[in-house]
Amino acid sequence: MSIILNRKKISEAVTGYLFISPWLIIFTIFSVVSLVYAFYLSFTSYNLLKPPQLWGLEGYQRVFDDDLFLVKALPNTFKYVIIVVPIQTLLSLILAFAMDQKLRLQRFFRTLFYLPSVTSSVVISLIFIWIFAPQGIFNQITGLTINWLDNPRTAFYVIMGMNIFTTSGTLMLIFLAGLQDVSTSIYEAAQIDGANPIQTFVYITIPMLRPVIFFVVTVGIIGCFQVFDQIYVMTAGGPLDSTTTVTYLIYKWAFRDTTIKMGQASALAVILTFIILSITLIQRSIIEGSGSSAES
Amino acid sequence: MKKIEKVLSMLIIVAFVLAACSTPTPEKIVERVVEEKTKVVKETQIVEVPGKAIEPTIVRLSGWASSPSETALLESLLYKFSVENPNILVKYEPITGDYKQVLLTSIVSATEPDIYYVDIFWWLELATNDVLFPLDDLMASTGTKHDEFIPSLIEAFTYDGKTYGIAKDFNTLGMFYNKDLFDKASLEYPTDDWTWDDLKAAAATLTNTSDANKPVYGFCTPPDPGRFPAFVFQNGGMVMTEDYSDTTLDSEAAVGAAEFYTSFRAEGSGVLPSDLGEGWQGTLFGKEQCAMVYEGGWLIPYLREQFPGTQYGVVMPPAGPAGEGNLIFTVAWGISANTKNAEAAWKVVNFLTNEASQRTVLESGFALPTRKSLQNSDYLTNNPNSAAIFNGSFNGAKPFFWGAVGSDVNDQMGKALERVFKEKQAVADAMKQAAEAIRKAMQ
């Protein structure tokens, strides 16, 4: 009896692994192996042309000695996260709440808000380059003469605005799904108690959405820490390093510099991973801590 | 009602998809020079020689493809080679996109081509890591002499007494001037004997900003590390010390050059391309908003293609207090140290850089030849604009190369100028800050 059961279990497991094998193989090769290798490289000096040589923590030391990292990339990245994440979360929550009401042309607006998210980020970047060009639409409408992407004081904000514009649609969709999970009976009860719409939103909708909010903020923070393609296309880290972020710096060290610093770049990648990991853990303890009675 | 919404949504989707498809590339990020097609060339073919059953030696060759017509030119030369050397089969594998990155990764995985382009800006990195094949013995085997080439171009690819590349072509900076704008300001055209004072005076006279929609400036001064060093040389300075172990950007000569370079914009007679919403000064020159620019020979086909009506001339950059100074931009053919067919590879390189091939390259109008003997060729006599850029290599020109931290030097030079232009930092402070950052990068 037990042998038959065991056999069944094994064959089930084999079938299961067979089904996920295409993904598993690709994931192993391109994620697990490269992750482990990058971790190894972070303890080496490697210029691509000579085999990597172990040099302990020297790479990490150099990262923390680097002015571009300390003065520009790290503060820029945090600034980016602190500005973009709250705005995109709030905006998408409001959009989702609005889309959840019985509005006219609802489908039309949903499509409209979601469109930037399905468009390639390179295409959107190009569109924004034209909008914010000196003779672009934005300056023509506002009558300003600022060269937005060439000015160290404005370039980063244009990129932030663009990212909020593109990600809000996806996040709105996630919130919308969360909203539709909230039972209508709770809203009806609130209505009977005489709660106005704002009270309902603050005291019912937001608490009920806590797990969704956690998810959206986490995804948002991770995404913001990894912002790269828009910067690569629009400003290449300039003007005057005002848009250099940690990921762009990794790219610059690993591929752009005359003398390739693959080890140092890998060290920075490892550091970034730990930054993201610790922030996510802190954030989880905050959100779960305040709502532990409802969750567990 | 629902139907209308659906139709509207569909329309928007279609509009976005169309917008995405028809995206033209903005000038801001693309500075590639478009070349005019001057030759229709057959594709490279494998030539079968009947009766000969010998396996041909296969040699792989890579470079970046800067334009279809330039690729066609190379293919036509390779075709000629295959006719003359049926026992060697050249496989041309152009690399599009990030050339250096693709090349480096192929070197890491030991799959690099036998022959490839090496840029003056980063070739030394390859040579010092023993990735390139020293060519001197191969040159001797075919009787090719070093002094048949322009000396500065051979020196540019020499390290530790060995030659690691044969320059395939080159460019220097010439001063392009717009004849119409000079006529309008009733100024005499510049000559090769001009000095900094002449440049300064002409720039002021040529500037006319009365039309706010199309202001005209005398001179363009982009914060570009590929232009500014010429002024440093003209002022008797250097960017790096002889052995590239230190930078001299904070020297008196370099600071003086930066002061002169940034003074044009401060005095209203100079402009940055980005001030007028352009990414490249070549476009401003074509639009007649800049009367004088320092550019290389690549501007000639660009103007022919994009602004065919422009009346312009080219002279050597005006001399500074310490005489002439110029930059050499060049790309060489290098042979991989791992190649199994070094002799066959050398035959190809030797063919591509021999006098007949170089003459073809010159006459196609794409690039300047690296052989001294072509200095007095008919083509250069008939094309004084190209001749000015060719002769620049004999007059105080130094290679566009700053050692192992070259990209940092370029970055810092550009940023120092940007800080002066955009943040009004004092010139001496900006150059000092740049020099210190470079020294830090060298540690």
Side-chain angles (χ1 to χ4, degrees):
Chain A
M1 184 70 201
S2 68
I3 293 167
I4 297 168
L5 235 176
N6 252 346
R7 239 189 219 169
K8 206 178 167 190
K9 258 192 182 165
I10 291 170
S11 80
E12 245 174 38
V14 170
T15 322
Y17 277 111
L18 264 179
F19 270 119
I20 61 166
S21 62
W23 175 84
L24 200 63
I25 292 165
I26 291 171
F27 179 74
T28 313
I29 295 173
F30 290 103
S31 295
V32 179
V33 173
S34 36
L35 215 69
V36 172
Y37 193 58
F39 189 70
Y40 157 70
L41 281 184
S42 74
F43 300 104
T44 64
S45 160
Y46 186 33
N47 68 356
L48 284 185
L49 298 170
K50 286 256 169 75
Q53 291 186 330
L54 283 172
W55 62 342
L57 292 172
E58 176 74 22
Y60 291 87
Q61 184 81 45
R62 288 192 177 204
V63 170
F64 286 109
D65 271 347
D66 192 276
D67 286 337
L68 196 52
F69 171 69
L70 291 177
V71 182
K72 295 287 182 179
L74 197 61
N76 277 349
T77 308
F78 274 98
K79 186 170 147 193
Y80 188 82
V81 173
I82 288 166
I83 294 178
V84 171
V85 174
I87 296 181
Q88 76 184 12
T89 311
L90 205 67
L91 185 71
S92 51
L93 183 61
I94 293 169
L95 281 180
F97 193 66
M99 288 300 108
D100 201 34
Q101 313 303 310
K102 304 262 172 305
L103 291 175
R104 296 178 68 184
L105 294 174
Q106 195 186 28
R107 277 154 169 270
F108 168 71
F109 282 115
R110 269 190 210 176
T111 318
L112 195 68
F113 291 142
Y114 191 56
L115 264 172
S117 306
V118 290
T119 314
S120 139
S121 65
V122 174
V123 172
I124 299 245
S125 301
L126 292 179
I127 293 174
F128 267 70
I129 287 177
W130 298 324
I131 293 178
F132 287 93
Q135 278 94 36
I137 306 171
F138 191 84
N139 275 352
Q140 285 184 10
I141 291 175
T142 54
L144 296 167
T145 51
I146 302 170
N147 194 346
W148 297 90
L149 287 170
D150 197 56
N151 187 327
R153 265 180 242 125
T154 55
F156 206 28
Y157 295 102
V158 173
I159 295 179
M160 287 180 188
M162 186 183 78
N163 237 37
I164 293 170
F165 169 73
T166 42
T167 45
S168 295
T170 319
L171 301 181
M172 172 197 80
L173 220 62
I174 297 167
F175 273 129
L176 207 54
L179 279 174
Q180 278 158 0
D181 268 354
V182 181
S183 157
T184 46
S185 59
I186 306 176
Y187 285 118
E188 278 161 15
Q191 232 172 359
I192 293 167
D193 289 343
N196 64 30
I198 294 172
Q199 283 172 322
T200 335
F201 182 72
V202 174
Y203 294 108
I204 295 176
T205 314
I206 291 184
M208 293 304 287
L209 282 178
R210 182 172 281 135
V212 183
I213 293 176
F214 171 71
F215 177 75
V216 166
V217 172
T218 310
V219 170
I221 288 179
I222 295 174
C224 284
F225 268 112
Q226 296 179 337
V227 59
F228 174 76
D229 38 1
Q230 295 89 340
I231 289 168
Y232 176 80
V233 174
M234 291 174 78
T235 58
L240 288 178
D241 300 320
S242 62
T243 62
T244 297
T245 58
V246 172
T247 41
Y248 191 81
L249 191 60
I250 294 174
Y251 163 76
K252 183 178 171 311
W253 284 345
F255 298 106
R256 256 292 183 40
D257 281 357
T258 314
T259 306
I260 301 285
K261 305 177 188 121
M262 199 50 97
Q264 194 178 326
S266 304
L268 181 51
V270 173
I271 293 168
L272 180 65
T273 312
F274 279 105
I275 293 177
I276 295 177
L277 194 68
S278 44
I279 285 179
T280 312
L281 287 179
I282 293 169
Q283 180 204 347
R284 201 170 101 168
S285 71
I286 292 171
I287 290 203
E288 286 196 343
S290 64
S292 55
S293 53
E295 300 261 329
S296 60
Chain B
M1 198 64 231
K2 279 247 170 90
K3 256 194 183 161
I4 296 179
E5 285 177 33
K6 265 193 190 161
V7 170
L8 272 177
S9 323
M10 281 311 295
L11 271 180
I12 289 186
I13 292 174
V14 169
F16 259 72
V17 169
L18 285 180
C21 291
S22 64
T23 316
T25 343
E27 282 165 322
K28 168 101 183 138
I29 54 163
V30 175
E31 294 182 4
R32 180 168 300 154
V33 176
V34 185
E35 316 264 25
E36 190 179 88
K37 195 161 185 165
T38 52
K39 280 204 170 181
V40 182
V41 187
K42 270 190 240 162
E43 266 181 53
T44 318
Q45 289 165 359
I46 302 165
V47 182
E48 301 242 357
V49 182
K52 268 193 185 177
I54 315 159
E55 276 285 298
T57 315
I58 293 175
V59 175
R60 291 164 58 223
L61 176 143
S62 278
W64 54 82
S66 46
S67 74
S69 29
E70 214 174 324
T71 307
L73 178 68
L74 176 59
E75 280 177 343
S76 80
L77 289 174
L78 291 176
Y79 174 71
K80 254 202 234 160
F81 178 82
S82 69
V83 173
E84 288 177 23
N85 299 277
N87 54 339
I88 298 173
L89 175 62
V90 183
K91 281 194 175 167
Y92 177 46
E93 302 170 359
I95 293 170
T96 48
D98 295 320
Y99 176 80
K100 190 190 164 200
Q101 289 158 30
V102 176
L103 181 70
L104 283 181
T105 40
S106 72
I107 290 173
V108 175
S109 53
T111 55
E112 78 266 35
D114 300 293
I115 307 168
Y116 48 79
Y117 284 12
V118 283
D119 195 299
I120 177 75
F121 197 66
W122 43 258
W123 77 280
L124 191 64
E125 172 88 2
L126 300 185
T128 52
N129 281 289
D130 306 322
V131 175
L132 285 174
F133 201 102
L135 302 177
D136 305 87
D137 292 345
L138 293 170
M139 288 174 81
S141 72
T142 53
T144 311
K145 295 196 186 66
H146 292 77
D147 60 10
E148 292 167 14
F149 297 92
I150 296 171
S152 50
L153 292 175
I154 282 287
E155 277 159 34
F157 292 99
T158 301
Y159 165 69
D160 218 3
K162 291 178 196 149
T163 309
Y164 286 92
I166 304 292
K168 72 179 192 76
D169 52 30
F170 77 98
N171 257 297
T172 67
L173 294 175
M175 190 175 86
F176 286 68
Y177 61 95
N178 186 307
K179 290 184 176 169
D180 290 340
L181 291 176
F182 268 78
D183 291 341
K184 233 180 258 174
S186 34
L187 271 178
E188 299 250 337
Y189 296 154
T191 62
D192 285 339
D193 304 326
W194 265 31
T195 62
W196 277 13
D197 296 334
D198 297 320
L199 176 66
K200 195 68 172 273
T205 318
L206 288 159
T207 301
N208 177 3
T209 51
S210 55
D211 181 357
N213 289 322
K214 201 192 166 193
V216 176
Y217 290 90
F219 189 46
C220 232
T221 55
D224 186 341
R227 304 288 174 275
F228 168 66
F231 289 84
V232 178
F233 302 153
Q234 287 156 10
N235 205 28
M238 294 281 277
V239 173
M240 306 298 284
T241 52
E242 283 289 328
D243 56 356
Y244 300 100
S245 64
D246 192 13
T247 176
T248 50
L249 277 179
D250 51 355
S251 66
E252 213 172 291
V255 172
E259 255 154 20
F260 178 71
Y261 192 70
T262 53
S263 67
F264 288 90
R265 185 166 179 262
E267 290 161 16
S269 62
V271 73
L272 314 185
S274 61
D275 289 340
L276 300 174
E278 294 296 345
W280 183 40
Q281 58 176 351
T283 319
L284 280 184
F285 186 74
K287 288 184 171 171
E288 305 205 321
Q289 287 192 269
C290 227
M292 298 180 284
V293 293
Y294 282 19
E295 279 296 332
W298 50 78
L299 185 57
I300 296 173
Y302 174 79
L303 290 173
R304 192 165 58 204
E305 181 94 358
Q306 302 287 329
F307 301 97
T310 316
Q311 292 298 315
Y312 68 94
V314 187
V315 291
M316 282 196 274
E324 317 251 59
N326 209 328
L327 277 169
I328 292 188
F329 305 92
T330 178
V331 173
W333 293 110
I335 296 181
S336 162
N338 296 323
T339 183
K340 291 189 187 73
N341 304 308
E343 267 148 40
W346 168 250
K347 261 192 178 171
V348 179
V349 172
N350 196 31
F351 177 87
L352 289 171
T353 52
N354 70 16
E355 201 173 317
S357 300
Q358 292 262 304
R359 192 181 294 277
T360 315
V361 171
L362 173 65
E363 281 163 7
S364 70
F366 290 124
L368 295 169
T370 53
R371 283 193 171 258
K372 265 197 289 194
S373 56
L374 290 166
Q375 191 183 3
N376 300 318
S377 66
D378 294 344
Y379 182 87
L380 286 179
T381 317
N382 298 332
N383 290 275
N385 291 347
S386 298
I389 291 165
F390 185 88
N391 292 333
S393 65
F394 298 102
N395 292 280
K398 295 184 179 70
F400 183 58
F401 173 72
W402 323 123
V405 293
S407 55
D408 292 285
V409 177
N410 263 359
D411 272 4
Q412 293 304 335
M413 239 189 301
K415 278 175 200 160
L417 294 172
E418 264 188 272
R419 282 194 300 268
V420 175
F421 285 132
K422 290 176 187 164
E423 295 182 342
K424 307 269 171 251
Q425 192 182 18
V427 176
D429 295 346
M431 298 303 277
K432 195 157 193 238
Q433 194 179 329
E436 273 160 16
I438 293 165
R439 282 180 195 128
K440 203 168 171 207
M442 281 178 165
Q443 286 165 9

